[in-house]
Amino acid sequence: MSNTALQPAQPAPAIRAYLGGSFDPVHRGHVQMAMAVYQSLLPLAQAQQRALYVSLLPNSRSPFKRQSSDPKHRLAMLKLAIQDTPLYIDELEIWQPPPVYTIDSVRTLRQRYPADSLIFIMGMDSARSLDKWQDGLQLTDYVHLWVFYRDTMPVPDTDNARQALQCWLPTPLQTAVTDSPAALTQSISQPSFIQTPTDPTIEQAVLKNPASGRIYIDMRQVAAISSTQIRQTLQQPRGDSEAVPDSAAGNHTKPVRDEQMTAASAINAIMNPPDSLAKWLNPAVYHYIIAHQLYSVAQFR
């Protein structure tokens, strides 16, 4: 029997999808997007007998944001948010000094997993602006893109809405759009290099091939709640709608200040988040925010 026959079969390349962001704080919309991708890819992964990993990829600090919470708090909230889900967390970016650009991360991921199918998840609002990102149009040299439609955007009134949305992407990326998520499980050929001895000032030149990554536009509407809106809600005093008599001012009233909350009202705030937050925050994440006094106005002064 030959040595080749004794070699164990190599596992099929895995399928790996990543949803990046600051997650400050993580909310149900983030988990909803990641789980939608997981549920769509799982039948494909099972049919192809491939491992599937869908991960949240928290960044160190967005280059577009001047302030963000301590990475240890954002990471702790992420772990609470994905309890009882099949999702993972990848810490590639979170401990790096900013700025950390997505193009650098996808290059690192491609080096780390050269044979795997890599997918980067984003909203259409981000996909439309990729030409303004650091080397954003080069993302598809390394990963496929799974783009979610957002419910704040008007639905194109055509028979093929996905094809209409294709025109929203930067022009160089429009030819990469596919109608099937199965196309995103294919391998991506890496950019090729050739020697250029005729020009001694240039050691190598990249062959300019069409983008090898594909783009799938997911027409399922994802609620457009943002972490910024959640932080603003958390910063609003819970007692603004309450009033107490002001004995020094006759019948005039004044709002109850946060610092004047009694122990009972503080417990009530922990156990019963306002409706606007209960809808979007995992209860464990909300309790963590209250316990660690995150997103107070004083924090961002």
Side-chain angles (χ1 to χ4, degrees), residues 29 35 83 94-95 120 134 149 237 278:
M35 282 301 302
Q83 289 182 126
I94 195 168
W95 304 115
F120 202 81
Q134 180 80 12
Y149 175 71

Side-chain angles (χ1 to χ4, degrees), residues 10-66:
Q10 293 294 321
I15 302 172
R16 301 177 185 274
Y18 299 88
L19 175 60
S22 59
F23 304 111
D24 195 14
V26 58
H27 53 70
R28 295 187 192 275
H30 296 132
V31 177
Q32 177 189 1
M33 289 175 66
M35 282 301 302
V37 172
Y38 177 87
Q39 291 163 355
S40 296
L41 290 176
L42 183 59
L44 296 171
Q46 291 174 335
Q48 299 171 18
Q49 297 184 325
R50 301 170 65 180
L52 172 62
Y53 305 95
V54 178
S55 303
L56 302 181
L57 183 70
N59 59 29
S60 58
R61 179 175 64 79
S62 167
F64 303 109
K65 297 179 180 178
R66 301 178 61 183

Side-chain angles (χ1 to χ4, degrees), residues 69-78 94-95 288 292:
S69 299
D70 190 312
K72 70 178 183 181
H73 288 312
R74 292 189 287 121
L75 188 58
M77 289 187 286
L78 276 175
I94 195 168
W95 304 115
Y288 185 94
H292 293 271

Side-chain angles (χ1 to χ4, degrees), residues 76-98:
M77 289 187 286
L78 276 175
K79 291 177 179 178
L80 292 172
I82 66 168
Q83 289 182 126
D84 304 319
T85 78
L87 303 178
Y88 294 84
I89 298 171
D90 192 303
E91 300 181 23
L92 170 65
E93 293 185 354
I94 195 168
W95 304 115
Q96 296 185 48

